Amino acid sequence: MKDLRMTEGAPWKHTLRFAMPVLAGSILQQLYNTVDTIVVGNFAGQSSLSAVGTTGTFSFLFLAIALGFSSGSGVIAAQRYGAGDIDGVRKTASTGILMMLGMGLISMVLAMVLARPAFVHFINVPAEILDKSMTYFLVFATGMIFQFAYNIFSSLLRAVGDSAATLYFLLISSIINVIMDLLFVAVFKWGVAGAAAATVLSQVAAAAAAYIYMTRKYPVFRFKLKEYSWSGDIAGQTIKIGFPIALQTAIVSIGLTFIQRAVNGFGENMTASFTVAMRIEMYLNLPGNAFQTTLATYTGQNIGAGRMDRVRKGLWQTISISMGITLLVSLCIRIFSPQLIQIFGLSEQAADYCMRHLAATAFVNLLLNGYFPVFGVFQGSNHVLPSALIAFVVLAVRVIVTFLFRYSPIFGVTIIWWNGLFGFGLGFLITWIYFFSGKWEKNAVIK
């Protein structure tokens, strides 16, 4: 197996090499989500666009589980790999795969059962688009196990330093999604069900490609059916690390659910605008997410190798690169937002809301990207709870100010996009205060 450890040499070279495929893959993933929105908006109408948008926060809740526990498994595998413990990597992979497939099945069933109560009572989906929202989500939920499978395969590959492969999986997935979107929605006129079916097929393709690549290239991940084994100790460690990561992402989902509820209260134009703005806003957050993932692996490998001195150095170099890329993306979105918004088929009022939303978040989200990569250091050093607590505080502040000021003469409807100024600003301060305290360095090695 090729040695891809990041324990020697210039940290910025390792993190940049690792992060670029992750970032490119994330861009591809967002592009096919964007294509979903464009195709639905132009060929199925604004009500269908709003219906798809309202399912996002609930879908994200289950993605949080997939991301969290697969990341937990990845942190353990990265430390084992950094320490040269290949047998430990193999045991971690076996347990992680079994765990994630089981969670995927359970999540699929729960998602289908809980969807209608969640849409009606928590998200407050307008009655006129509820049936479309349910149709989209129920079809989407059938592919949930493949989403879980893809995440554990990708996490294990990143643990051994192979981030480039995920780019190819997502390229395959994106191409399939775009083709199926156009076929099912634009040609067959299947509406929201067609868009969901296209997403499911793309998830199946990504999971299949990841599994084939992983098992063929890396013998450590190659198991016969009878060779899969379960380790209670590793499962416990995975839950210990993965639960706070999943909780962190789930908190974001729950917080956005409340914000979505406030958005829905302003009518269909605001709901459609928010759907489009969030699709575009996600591009602003991709650098921070990519470098968080990178620093989790980088930190885990270096701690496993006993190179704590490289962790701080790697963070400073990485965060400089991340902020530079984020500034560039922010500038592009600020300049080209009128042209971007135009392609989604929004009404004039919805387009106006969306333009104002993006103008604000191009600035506000710089705060988020100024601290989010640090969470990777916390995760890689086995200190994931602080990230979850910070995420909770950030979302709590965003939700509180949204509901406090949504009808006020100071903010009114604009609080939908300015709430991040309060939440992300506080998150920035807390994260860096905790980092400089040095508490994350204690008990960093997984026993």
Side-chain angles (χ1 to χ4, degrees), residues 119-307:
F119 291 164
V120 172
H121 300 294
F122 291 100
I123 304 175
N124 194 29
V125 175
E128 59 269 24
I129 61 172
L130 178 60
D131 287 343
K132 287 183 177 180
S133 297
M134 282 297 302
T135 298
Y136 178 87
F137 186 79
L138 290 177
V139 176
F140 169 83
T142 61
M144 206 163 278
I145 187 172
F146 300 104
Q147 189 179 71
F148 277 69
Y150 170 75
N151 274 282
I152 184 60
F153 299 153
S154 297
S155 186
L156 291 171
L157 286 169
R158 287 194 296 268
V160 298
D162 191 345
S163 63
T166 58
L167 174 60
Y168 307 129
F169 311 149
L170 290 171
L171 179 60
I172 294 169
S173 176
S174 299
I175 291 171
I176 290 174
N177 185 263
V178 171
I179 293 172
M180 294 298 103
D181 254 333
L182 292 170
L183 182 64
F184 294 162
V185 182
V187 178
F188 292 167
K189 307 296 182 184
W190 290 352
V192 294
T199 300
V200 170
L201 289 176
S202 69
Q203 290 171 341
V204 172
Y211 178 77
I212 292 168
Y213 173 88
M214 181 179 77
T215 54
R216 289 188 177 180
K217 184 165 183 178
Y218 295 97
V220 68
F221 298 136
R222 196 177 300 154
F223 298 94
K224 294 179 181 178
L225 191 59
K226 63 182 180 180
E227 291 178 328
Y228 278 100
S229 60
W230 177 267
S231 167
D233 288 341
I234 292 175
Q237 291 169 355
T238 301
I239 292 170
K240 181 181 177 181
I241 298 170
F243 179 75
I245 299 174
L247 181 62
Q248 174 194 331
T249 313
I251 288 167
V252 174
S253 174
I254 293 167
L256 289 176
T257 298
F258 283 104
I259 293 173
Q260 180 76 59
R261 185 182 178 91
V263 166
N264 293 342
F266 287 113
E268 186 182 300
N269 282 323
M270 176 55 84
T271 302
S273 165
F274 189 72
T275 299
V276 171
M278 289 300 291
R279 289 287 190 270
I280 298 174
E281 187 179 327
M282 287 302 296
Y283 291 94
L284 275 171
N285 301 332
L286 293 181
N289 285 317
F291 284 102
Q292 179 202 8
T293 299
T294 298
L295 283 171
T297 300
Y298 172 85
T299 301
Q301 288 192 6
N302 278 281
I303 287 175
R307 297 298 308 271

Side-chain angles (χ1 to χ4, degrees), residues 284 288 315-316 319 322-323 326 364-375 424 427-429 431-432:
L284 275 171
L315 172 63
W316 293 122
I319 203 122
S322 176
M323 286 302 293
T326 302
V364 169
N365 282 43
L366 290 174
L367 288 168
L368 174 65
N369 286 278
Y371 72 86
F372 206 71
V374 188
F375 286 0
F424 299 151
F428 183 94
L429 290 174
T431 299
W432 283 105

Side-chain angles (χ1 to χ4, degrees), residues 42-64:
N42 282 278
F43 293 100
Q46 185 167 288
S47 65
S48 294
L49 174 64
S50 299
V52 172
T54 58
T55 68
T57 53
F58 190 58
S59 304
F60 195 60
L61 186 61
F62 293 96
L63 178 60

